[in-house]
Amino acid sequence: MNVLAIGCHPDDIEIGCSGTLAKCVKRGDKVTVCHVANGNMGHEIIKPDELRVMRAQEAKNAGALAGIEVVTIDVGDLLVNGSDIEQRDKVANLIIKVQPDFIITHSPTDYMNDHLAVHRLVWDASFVASVPQYNGGGKAAVTPLYYMDNLAGVNFNPTEYVDITDEIDQKIEMLECHVSQLKWMRDHDHIDFAEFVRSCSRFRGLQCGVQYAEAFTQSYAWPKITTKRMLP
């Protein structure tokens, strides 16, 4: 299968679903990760132009650990707009290029405006990509859409789980590639964010009877519904 995960910032996918994506690669899937925003505002000291380059490389380093292709729409932080036609069409063009069998993105109950804007862009683009007359003859099927967990699981009620017990160390290793973020949080905020993410995965594992898990909900909107188990 072709799997497409679209997050907002360069580390969002590692936080929410990288264990699942690593598991997809292991079963033979072609996995593509896209971050819509470039993360250029994600530091109090490093300047945006420098940070943009750093974070793009960190994302590629993380993807390389699992055999995942990483691409970017390269929108500046705080400029992601769920109603922006140009941004929507860039996401739609990516969907046409990847031809995914399913898509993972942020949930409609996420906590950050940029994340919610990406949710809206993906929702709209997943339909736009299916209209060949709009896309110069190119099209992609309207596929199942899955929402990854909110940060700390707040306001998120899972309907599906993926056992990532065998992938948890790889998930954390991928997250640690985002040095600009994790080092700052450890040094200045006194937060071990890798441990935070591991703890959330343990909590989701307790809910479904395994050691570590990632949680999802599915979009129950026609024609995105399927009887098939798409997640690994």
Side-chain angles (χ1 to χ4, degrees):
M1 287 197 288
N2 291 330
V3 182
L4 176 59
I6 304 176
C8 186
H9 304 101
D11 56 354
D12 287 330
I13 294 299
E14 282 73 26
I15 295 166
C17 65
S18 58
T20 296
L21 297 181
K23 199 163 188 169
C24 286
V25 172
K26 288 178 182 178
R27 74 176 180 184
D29 296 349
K30 172 71 171 72
V31 179
T32 303
V33 163
C34 171
H35 49 273
V36 174
N38 56 31
N40 64 338
M41 298 289 176
H43 205 282
E44 292 187 17
I45 295 176
I46 303 172
K47 298 301 182 183
D49 287 348
E50 180 183 357
L51 187 61
R52 169 182 169 269
V53 175
M54 289 176 62
R55 298 200 69 184
Q57 187 59 54
E58 289 171 349
K60 288 184 179 296
N61 293 344
L65 291 177
I68 292 171
E69 181 181 1
V70 178
V71 298
T72 181
I73 303 297
D74 200 21
V75 179
D77 282 3
L78 307 180
L79 299 177
V80 183
N81 184 344
S83 299
D84 186 286
I85 300 302
E86 182 179 357
Q87 292 180 22
R88 183 203 67 185
D89 288 355
K90 287 180 178 179
V91 176
N93 289 337
L94 174 66
I95 294 171
I96 292 169
K97 179 180 178 181
V98 173
Q99 294 288 313
D101 293 286
F102 67 92
I103 300 170
I104 299 173
T105 193
H106 295 286
S107 88
T109 60
D110 207 300
Y111 77 105
M112 185 186 293
N113 184 61
D114 276 1
H115 293 192
L116 294 173
V118 168
H119 162 80
R120 176 62 186 273
L121 288 172
V122 174
W123 172 267
D124 290 354
S126 64
F127 179 78
V128 169
S130 73
V131 183
Q133 295 289 359
Y134 181 80
N135 296 300
K139 65 173 294 187
V142 179
T143 64
L145 181 60
Y146 294 92
Y147 304 131
M148 59 188 174
D149 210 346
N150 294 341
L151 193 64
V154 175
N155 199 27
F156 190 90
N157 294 312
T159 57
E160 296 199 44
Y161 295 87
V162 175
D163 181 355
I164 62 161
T165 302
D166 291 340
E167 291 76 30
I168 185 62
D169 290 339
Q170 186 176 25
K171 174 184 174 75
I172 299 303
E173 186 180 5
M174 292 170 71
L175 182 61
E176 290 281 8
C177 288
H178 297 274
V179 178
S180 67
Q181 306 303 292
L182 271 72
K183 186 178 187 302
W184 175 263
M185 284 188 279
R186 287 189 176 110
D187 292 348
H188 297 272
D189 299 329
H190 307 295
I191 297 171
D192 187 339
F193 194 64
E195 181 59 31
F196 178 102
V197 171
R198 183 185 288 270
S199 297
C200 292
S201 298
R202 178 69 183 122
F203 171 68
R204 291 307 190 193
L206 288 169
Q207 290 183 324
C208 61
V210 300
Q211 192 169 5
Y212 293 98
E214 289 173 343
F216 300 87
T217 60
Q218 184 179 350
S219 172
Y220 291 109
W222 189 89
K224 295 179 172 69
I225 304 167
T226 179
T227 60
K228 299 177 182 178
R229 168 75 182 190
M230 308 297 286
L231 296 171

